[in-house]
Amino acid sequence: MPKPALTTWGKREVVTPKAMTDRITAPQKYYGKMPYFAAQGCASNTSTPRTGMALYKGKHVEVLWPAAKVKKFGFTTSSDGKYFIIPEDGVYHVHFQASTYGNKNRITGNNINVYIEAENNAPGNGAVGELGVVINQHLTTNFYHTTPVAVTEFFTKGTKLKAKVYLDGGAEGNWVIADGAVDTAFYAFMVSPSSEGWHYATPGPAPAMKRWTDNEFIDEKRMNEQTTDQFNALENRARVTGRGVTFNWKGQREDKNAVTWAGMYRNSVVSGWFQEAEAAPGWGAKTAVNIPWDGLYLVSAFGNARHSAQPIANVQYIYQLGLYGSGGATAKPMLLTQGGNARTNHESGQVISDVVFLQAGTKLNIRFWGVNTATNWDSGRDGSGTVNGTRWWNFAITYLGRGTYGSGG
């Protein structure tokens, strides 16, 4: 169903069945089931060395999704099974993961790049281009490696989303994208149906919900607080995205290892709402984002890093990407993802994506930590020239609403 037009209650307005349906029932039905798709398992065009989509060295493969493996609401698909088409303007969270399998590996591994890409030939201010890429180094012959990437972006109606995988140009042997439902998957769901663009100012949190009581005098302010104002907050959730990271650090650094974001893009005009902050005193002005309200937040981040040490056969230099709250070097991570990098001057990436409860005033930040002290790590390519900022580092935070993980939130 299309997004309902939200209208407000007026003073001395006669409450009709149509007004109740338009302002209460229709929005609740819409926000209770917004557009989504889940493609679980890609097409299969080979059985060598396993069933799945064949990969070819030095080439991108655009992943195909058989209709029988797709569940969707609102989204449509292209006839070739490659694209998922955005049904309405809005903010969407998109996740792609590819499990790859190869029967011959370099001693220091083969790079596997996974991408989320958006195409839109119509005018609009939605995200387009290669929105995110994560690189993993496939090290083990005759085994699966899964590489994920996730973004939260504003898309305009008609934008076509696709996923693609690139295999190292020096790869040998036979390679596939695994076709299993738990191996390779592509997901997207609407977070909020804002039709005014990424920067359209959010109203912030919805007013507190109150119980109705007998003999209560109901005016237009009370009706709007309980209905239209609630839906306005859902329609344009507060959000911020950080893009662009540059660092060059010694390994095992604990001091001031929160990454600095070159740009912060938000839909808030109120001072203090998702503003840049310091992760801790002396760490830098854009190392964190200030959380404005208690509540649940959708958080996703990815980053690709590379190291300068000479490769050692079958050995990875390990590193981790962590989501932290306020605090300095002694702070503990809220979410953590760990991986490895086996090849000198080649990126390797990690992803964080989850829903977390955050308190107002938290200085949310992403930190990088790599091994060892003899190794320099840097942030890899900067993605210069890509639309909507860099595709190598991304940090997205979206306010979902009041609530906790406990009862009574």
Side-chain angles (χ1 to χ4, degrees), residues 106-403:
R106 295 179 178 182
I107 292 174
T108 54
N110 290 97
N111 286 345
I112 300 287
N113 300 19
V114 300
Y115 297 80
I116 293 172
E117 187 172 351
E119 296 180 12
N120 190 353
N121 297 322
N125 62 355
V128 294
E130 293 174 345
L131 307 178
V133 56
V134 166
I135 306 171
N136 266 348
Q137 285 156 19
H138 198 300
L139 284 173
T140 307
T141 300
N142 294 324
F143 202 76
Y144 298 95
H145 282 234
T146 300
T147 308
V149 61
V151 296
T152 304
E153 295 282 2
F154 176 83
F155 298 106
T156 53
K157 181 178 179 179
T159 298
K160 297 183 291 185
L161 299 179
K162 69 178 178 182
K164 63 184 185 182
V165 178
Y166 175 85
L167 174 62
D168 199 322
E172 297 179 0
N174 296 304
W175 292 78
V176 298
I177 307 169
D179 59 355
V182 297
D183 296 311
T184 300
F186 197 20
Y187 304 96
F189 60 89
M190 179 185 277
V191 177
S192 58
S194 173
S195 57
E196 302 295 334
W198 176 265
H199 293 290
Y200 182 57
T202 177
M209 297 289 279
K210 302 174 185 177
R211 292 182 177 276
W212 302 98
T213 60
D214 288 339
N215 302 316
E216 176 183 359
F217 175 75
I218 301 175
D219 60 10
E220 74 278 11
K221 180 176 182 296
R222 177 90 157 97
M223 288 292 287
N224 285 322
E225 285 179 346
Q226 298 288 80
T227 57
T228 303
D229 291 351
Q230 302 294 323
F231 302 134
N232 277 325
L234 292 174
E235 186 161 310
N236 195 18
R237 297 182 189 272
R239 56 193 178 270
V240 63
T241 293
R243 299 189 179 101
V245 168
T246 302
F247 65 79
N248 191 322
W249 290 332
K250 286 291 184 184
Q252 295 183 233
R253 174 177 175 165
E254 294 281 4
D255 178 41
K256 301 177 184 177
N257 61 339
V259 300
T260 298
W261 299 94
M264 291 286 183
Y265 307 89
R266 65 185 63 79
N267 67 338
S268 168
V269 296
V270 178
S271 177
W273 288 10
F274 289 126
Q275 295 296 312
E276 296 94 335
E278 282 191 288
W283 285 45
K286 292 186 177 182
T287 52
V289 177
N290 183 59
I291 298 301
W293 316 290
D294 291 358
L296 292 172
Y297 292 80
L298 171 64
V299 178
S300 65
F302 65 84
N304 292 273
R306 60 189 174 186
H307 72 87
S308 59
Q310 290 300 313
I312 301 172
N314 302 313
V315 172
Q316 294 195 64
Y317 288 83
I318 61 172
Y319 68 96
Q320 60 190 36
L321 204 65
L323 176 73
Y324 287 73
S326 302
T330 60
K332 302 299 182 184
M334 301 169 60
L335 298 171
L336 190 69
T337 181
Q338 297 165 317
N341 191 320
R343 299 180 65 181
T344 305
N345 294 323
H346 283 254
E347 286 102 343
S348 186
Q350 291 293 317
V351 171
I352 291 173
S353 186
D354 207 343
V355 174
V356 294
F357 175 75
L358 300 172
Q359 292 182 310
T362 299
K363 312 300 183 194
L364 205 65
N365 60 97
I366 297 293
R367 303 187 192 182
F368 176 86
W369 186 91
V371 173
N372 58 32
T373 55
T375 302
N376 263 60
W377 290 86
D378 68 41
S379 48
R381 288 164 283 184
D382 65 2
S384 297
T386 59
V387 178
N388 287 328
T390 179
R391 61 187 178 182
W392 305 103
W393 283 81
N394 185 287
F395 185 25
I397 309 166
T398 305
Y399 176 68
L400 298 183
R402 294 183 178 88

Side-chain angles (χ1 to χ4, degrees), residues 60-71:
H60 291 88
V61 168
E62 296 173 336
V63 184
L64 303 180
W65 308 95
K69 296 184 177 182
V70 175
K71 300 174 184 176

Side-chain angles (χ1 to χ4, degrees), residues 17-133:
K18 184 178 185 305
M20 295 292 280
T21 297
D22 291 346
R23 293 174 185 164
I24 298 177
T25 305
Q28 286 182 345
K29 289 178 67 175
Y30 177 82
Y31 292 112
K33 188 177 181 181
M34 293 191 293
Y36 67 86
F37 75 80
Q40 296 173 292
C42 64
S44 182
N45 59 15
T46 183
S47 58
T48 304
R50 290 286 190 271
T51 61
M53 286 193 69
L55 284 170
Y56 307 96
K57 65 179 183 179
K59 294 184 178 180
H60 291 88
V61 168
E62 296 173 336
V63 184
L64 303 180
W65 308 95
K69 296 184 177 182
V70 175
K71 300 174 184 176
K72 63 183 187 292
F73 174 75
F75 278 85
T76 54
T77 54
S78 59
S79 58
D80 60 7
K82 181 170 63 177
Y83 294 103
F84 292 91
I85 301 169
I86 296 289
E88 299 180 54
D89 293 3
V91 176
Y92 294 78
H93 183 72
V94 187
H95 175 100
F96 168 54
Q97 65 184 48
S99 183
T100 53
Y101 188 103
N103 63 3
K104 190 171 183 180
N105 244 314
R106 295 179 178 182
I107 292 174
T108 54
N110 290 97
N111 286 345
I112 300 287
N113 300 19
V114 300
Y115 297 80
I116 293 172
E117 187 172 351
E119 296 180 12
N120 190 353
N121 297 322
N125 62 355
V128 294
E130 293 174 345
L131 307 178
V133 56

